Amino acid sequence: YTFLTIVANVLLMLMVILFLWSNATMFLHGSPPPLPDLELSEDMVTSIASLLYVVINKVLAVAHDIASGKDFKLFLKVVAVLWGLSLVGGWFHFITLVYLCTVIAHTIPAIYERYEDQIGGYTKVAVETTQKHYKKLDTVVFSKIPWTTMKDKKML
């Protein structure tokens, strides 16, 4: 099953149960199921919209900077993360991935607390090695790429 299928089936069962319950109470002269009023206040909607407005604009500004080539390092990071997510997403269904992330999110802090010294040592070595490889890549490849900005290009 996919995530959408599970959500749709759960909502379908909920709606059928509530429909049958409310119709059965008419025949049995009982009280209908207690359903709360599902309304949002105007203040709540306005505050959520203004918060979303700010967050979405920040995300779009960062996406614009990445897409326009202003921050090449961030571009490479985004490409690497998206490629990794694409790879991992091809191996698992969404629900399985959510389950694995939940289990990992609960076990990693406990493991880190227990083996903090060893993990810190390995992390330090990994960061130093990564920085060494990046410096080599920067001198061999990135330094030879001619970089232009939007200001350098003339608009027609």
Side-chain angles (χ1 to χ4, degrees), residues 18 33-39:
L18 287 173
L35 296 175
D37 290 336
L38 301 175
E39 293 182 6

Side-chain angles (χ1 to χ4, degrees), residues 22-41:
S22 65
N23 284 328
T25 57
M26 288 190 319
F27 295 117
L28 301 175
H29 305 293
S31 62
L35 296 175
D37 290 336
L38 301 175
E39 293 182 6
L40 298 175
S41 68

